[in-house]
Amino acid sequence: MQGFNSFLSLLNLALIVFSGFALVDAAIRREDAFRAADKKTKPFWLIILALAFVVNWIFGILSFLPIIGLVATIVYMVDVRPAVRQVSGGGGGRRGGSSSDGPYGPYNGGR
């Protein structure tokens, strides 16, 4: 039984770290990127993720409230975060490219 309790404690810690990472990530993103990506607003996501973090901190994993917080955090991480990163230029493609780069290399104006 003690092994199960330690597993639940580690799972609860993982949920706290996951929601904390999502909260910090949302806090450092630009506010206009949320609107440009058509994903609610930055204050909306900050409130939702802060509530998820606090709920994960206070309640145990066997309650239904941390599950709701986990769902909100997952929605942010798999839907909102990639869209905001793409709009703000932090997306995973090539690094160090110019703003005039096209899919096949830099655009040279027909020269």
Side-chain angles (χ1 to χ4, degrees), residues 80-103:
V80 177
R81 183 175 185 249
V84 170
R85 285 181 70 196
Q86 184 178 17
V87 166
S88 64
R94 56 188 176 266
R95 301 279 181 203
S98 170
S99 63
S100 65
D101 283 356

Side-chain angles (χ1 to χ4, degrees), residues 32-100:
D32 59 339
F34 285 85
R35 286 178 290 161
D38 200 25
K39 302 290 181 188
K40 295 287 184 188
T41 62
K42 182 176 180 174
F44 172 82
W45 283 108
L46 287 176
I47 290 169
I48 294 296
L49 294 172
L51 285 173
F53 179 77
V54 169
V55 163
N56 285 332
W57 186 273
I58 293 175
F59 295 101
I61 188 65
L62 296 178
S63 176
F64 72 94
L65 288 176
I67 304 301
I68 295 171
L70 176 64
V71 169
T73 305
I74 289 172
V75 167
Y76 174 79
M77 292 298 287
V78 301
D79 183 38
V80 177
R81 183 175 185 249
V84 170
R85 285 181 70 196
Q86 184 178 17
V87 166
S88 64
R94 56 188 176 266
R95 301 279 181 203
S98 170
S99 63
S100 65

